[in-house]
């Protein structure tokens, strides 16, 4: 127990740090290019926020949340996704009163869901995502889709398939729900228990059910029942995607069946040797800010799973290479040389070179062995007698050649050949 991480959790080990950092850097870089600013919200929130913000008919809220009472007897939930907390912060800090649209992003946001641990499904995972508030035009739908595709590509995740759909607005959905219920009614007894419960409150979700969806392929589609405004929005989105040369498929089965999710929904999957994996999901939620106590403000966003991206990199054998741990290692012999070595390492670091010296009182031979083990390309050798002459040796580990260099010139020399 003591030496095992809880089920469904993973350590990020040092060997993978560069991969996480590279994914985070791509997020920061590409988001900045489009005017997005970072936001960080707490890991836990009042449970009610997710019940209202994610919706209490979703799997996430019904089955997957980590909810507990704290010592003050408040119901607290570890965040299962990134959007609700950001909406809460927007309302609480009146970000909606600043210049709109508010374009926000978050990186490596921890998310918690009590799921059955299996390949690609963790109980603590991380999402990168964006949320845009105060922009109702379909141009922003196209913008975040473009951003999501570019982010995935920057992380080496190709063979992407973008599927889009529109789930309309509360206006057109009302009539559609009636049509859908009429279609589902005779089949109701054959559907799973959860779907039977969804029938009244949220029939659209039934189309998204992993158990039942295959039986319902001839269900009426929301897409054929959009009101004028929603239809126009979807047409515009398609024309903007075309203009940006982003290929898409229309998939009427993608839903986010909640009243405050509106219009555009999308998913991006990638093909891997082990089948298709969803790496990003997003959509518009024009009703959510109001639902959570703010003024009516359109919103849209996406979330992408960081561990999923790393898994896809592994499956496709495209993990980025770790950068060298050090530019140079300093090997010393004797006490005077060691003191000089410590001074030199400080100088090298101040000059921006990654440098280190033995910290385990090893013999010279063992110092070299260590340098080899961590893959250092260059070693500076300081020995007492040479130091008296004001020189050190620079050893190239690849071909074992050594050159003598004046102590005063070594930092500049190493900088030159960095
Ligand atoms: P699914 O249908 O696979 O359960 P979802 O609809 O629950 O997905 P979202 O809530 O849209 O997923 O989450 C966005 C992204 O977060 C997913 O595309 C996936 O990359 C990642 N993700 C979701 N759940 C998990 C999990 N349990 N472990 C790891 N990553 C996850
Ligand atoms: Mg899920």
């Amino acid at each position: 127990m003591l030496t095992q991480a809880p089920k469904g959790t993973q350590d990020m080990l040092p060997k993978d740090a560069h991969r996480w950092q590279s994914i985070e850097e791509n997020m920061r870089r590409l988001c900045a290019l489009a005017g997005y600013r970072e936001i960080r919200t707490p890991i836990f929130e009042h449970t009610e926020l997710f019940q209202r913000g994610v919706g209490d008919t979703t799997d996430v809220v019904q089955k997957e949340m980590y909810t507990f009472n704290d010592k003050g007897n408040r119901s607290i939930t570890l965040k299962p996704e990134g959007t609700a907390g950001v909406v809460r912060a927007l309302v609480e800090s009146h970000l909606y009163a600043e210049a709109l649209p508010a374009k926000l992003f978050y990186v490596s946001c921890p998310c918690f869901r009590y799921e059955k641990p299996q390949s690609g499904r963790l109980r603590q995972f991380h999402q990168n995502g964006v949320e845009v508030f105060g922009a109702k035009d379909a141009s922003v739908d196209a913008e975040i889709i473009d951003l999501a595709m570019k982010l995935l590509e920057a992380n080496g995740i190709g063979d992407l398939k973008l599927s889009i759909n529109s789930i309309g607005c509360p206006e057109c959905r009302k009539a559609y729900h009636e049509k859908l219920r009429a279609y589902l009614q005779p089949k109701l007894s054959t559907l799973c228990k959860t779907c039977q419960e969804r029938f009244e409150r949220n029939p659209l979700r039934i189309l998204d059910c992993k158990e039942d969806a295959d039986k319902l392929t001839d269900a009426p589609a929301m897409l054929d029942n959009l009101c004028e405004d929603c239809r126009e929005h979807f047409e515009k989105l398609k024309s903007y995607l075309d203009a940006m040369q982003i290929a898409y498929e229309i998939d009427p089965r993608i839903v986010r069946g909640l009243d405050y999710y509106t219009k555009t929904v999308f998913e991006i999957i990638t093909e891997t040797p082990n089948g298709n994996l969803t790496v990003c999901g997003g959509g518009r939620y024009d009703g959510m800010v109001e639902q959570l106590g703010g003024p009516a403000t359109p919103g849209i966003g996406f979330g992408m799973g960081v561990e999923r991206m790393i898994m896809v990199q592994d499956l496709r054998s495209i993990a980025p290479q770790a950068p060298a741990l050090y530019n140079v290692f300093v090997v010393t012999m004797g006490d005077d040389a060691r003191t000089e070595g410590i001074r030199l390492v400080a100088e090298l670091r101040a000059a921006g070179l990654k440098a280190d010296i033995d910290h385990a009182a090893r013999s010279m031979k063992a110092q070299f062995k260590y340098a080899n083990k961590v893959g250092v390309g260059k070693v500076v050798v300081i020995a007492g007698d040479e130091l008296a002459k004001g020189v050190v040796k620079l050893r190239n580990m690849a071909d074992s050649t050594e050159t003598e260099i004046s102590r005063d010139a070594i930092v500049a020399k190493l900088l030159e050949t960095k």
Side-chain angles (χ1 to χ4, degrees):
M1 274 290 267
L2 206 58
T3 53
Q4 239 174 25
K7 229 178 168 179
T9 67
Q10 270 178 2
D11 297 306
M12 183 212 74
L13 295 171
K15 70 174 174 49
D16 290 324
H18 69 284
R19 302 178 63 180
W20 283 73
Q21 286 162 1
S22 146
I23 290 172
E24 287 170 5
E25 275 159 24
N26 285 333
M27 188 73 190
R28 293 205 157 88
R29 182 173 54 84
L30 292 175
C31 284
L33 287 177
Y36 289 69
R37 289 182 299 165
E38 185 171 352
I39 184 162
R40 300 185 199 188
T41 65
I43 280 182
F44 60 85
E45 298 273 358
H46 295 297
T47 301
E48 199 192 346
L49 177 71
F50 301 114
Q51 287 168 337
R52 290 231 247 155
V54 181
D56 49 12
T57 58
T58 57
D59 282 355
V60 169
V61 171
Q62 281 184 341
K63 305 186 211 153
E64 299 172 358
M65 293 208 302
Y66 275 88
T67 298
F68 58 95
N69 281 3
D70 70 5
K71 289 190 173 131
N73 216 24
R74 295 172 201 92
S75 181
I76 292 294
T77 295
L78 304 183
K79 62 177 155 185
E81 53 86 59
T83 305
V86 174
V87 175
R88 197 260 315 129
L90 174 99
V91 175
E92 182 171 348
S93 299
H94 305 282
L95 301 184
Y96 53 77
E98 297 176 7
L100 291 178
K103 294 172 149 193
L104 310 171
F105 75 90
Y106 50 84
V107 279
S108 296
C109 163
C111 297
F112 303 85
R113 295 185 192 177
Y114 196 81
E115 300 213 60
K116 214 167 128 209
Q118 50 181 298
S119 168
R121 241 169 239 292
L122 293 158
R123 289 182 173 170
Q124 176 178 342
F125 62 100
H126 299 79
Q127 281 189 354
N128 292 344
V130 306
E131 316 290 349
V132 183
F133 299 96
K136 68 179 167 61
D137 198 83
S139 57
V140 83
D141 307 38
E143 173 177 295
I144 70 161
I145 289 174
D146 177 50
L147 184 54
M149 303 287 278
K150 295 244 161 60
L151 281 162
L152 291 165
E153 278 157 16
N155 295 331
I157 298 170
D159 289 332
L160 298 174
K161 215 176 86 189
L162 164 69
S163 303
I164 60 170
N165 188 21
S166 172
I167 55 165
C169 65
E171 297 310 308
C172 47
R173 220 176 297 148
K174 232 181 274 162
Y176 169 69
H177 274 174
E178 286 319 310
K179 261 196 199 176
L180 187 57
R181 283 200 194 92
Y183 164 84
L184 291 168
Q185 183 78 59
K187 301 182 165 47
L188 202 54
S189 59
T190 70
L191 303 183
C192 76
K193 216 173 133 267
T194 324
C195 283
Q196 296 189 3
E197 286 164 16
R198 286 172 177 150
F199 180 76
E200 275 310 320
R201 290 179 56 205
N202 197 356
L204 195 57
R205 273 294 293 191
I206 297 178
L207 301 182
D208 190 31
C209 173
K210 291 191 176 78
E211 273 178 55
D212 293 328
D214 289 343
K215 303 177 211 158
L216 307 171
T217 45
D218 59 343
M222 184 68 239
L223 213 49
D224 302 324
N225 291 276
L226 297 176
C227 64
E228 191 48 36
D229 180 40
C230 290
R231 206 185 51 73
E232 201 180 295
H233 189 93
F234 195 59
E235 291 306 316
K236 268 192 182 169
L237 169 62
K238 289 191 288 181
S239 72
Y240 294 147
L241 290 175
D242 290 340
M244 287 194 278
Q245 293 180 309
I246 299 174
Y248 55 84
E249 259 175 33
I250 297 170
D251 182 351
R253 292 212 293 179
I254 304 175
V255 301
R256 297 211 162 218
L258 286 170
D259 286 347
Y260 29 93
Y261 282 107
T262 49
K263 298 185 171 135
T264 309
V265 285
F266 66 93
E267 253 176 35
I268 305 172
I269 64 167
T270 176
E271 287 161 19
T272 75
N274 291 15
N276 290 346
L277 269 177
T278 307
V279 279
C280 178
R284 186 170 267 284
Y285 45 84
D286 288 348
M288 199 193 302
V289 177
E290 203 174 8
Q291 172 75 17
L292 294 178
T297 309
I300 183 167
F302 67 69
M304 45 178 73
V306 178
E307 286 86 350
R308 283 278 166 95
M309 288 192 273
I310 288 179
M311 196 172 119
V312 176
Q313 288 181 340
D314 285 337
L315 286 169
R316 298 166 64 101
S317 310
I318 44 159
Q321 278 238 310
L325 189 56
Y326 298 117
N327 301 113
V328 54
F329 192 76
V330 177
V331 165
T332 64
M333 197 169 74
D335 286 347
D336 290 348
R338 181 161 170 77
T339 307
E340 187 53 33
I342 286 165
R343 189 169 21 229
L344 175 59
V345 165
E347 277 177 42
L348 291 165
R349 290 179 185 166
L353 289 163
K354 295 187 281 184
D356 212 348
I357 191 167
D358 170 56
H359 295 291
R362 290 183 175 103
S363 70
M364 201 165 178
K365 195 173 156 207
Q367 291 177 45
F368 272 112
K369 211 168 148 192
Y370 173 81
N372 253 327
K373 202 166 174 181
V374 294
V376 184
K378 292 192 191 87
V379 165
V380 174
V381 189
I382 308 181
D385 46 348
E386 286 155 351
L387 193 59
K389 292 189 284 172
V391 293
V392 296
K393 275 192 189 127
L394 178 57
R395 185 181 177 94
N396 185 332
M397 296 297 273
D399 58 11
S400 302
T401 52
E402 278 188 356
T403 40
E404 219 174 59
I405 295 180
S406 120
R407 162 68 181 85
D408 295 339
I410 187 71
V411 177
K413 174 78 185 170
L414 284 165
L415 269 175
E416 221 174 79
T417 56
K418 188 177 160 187

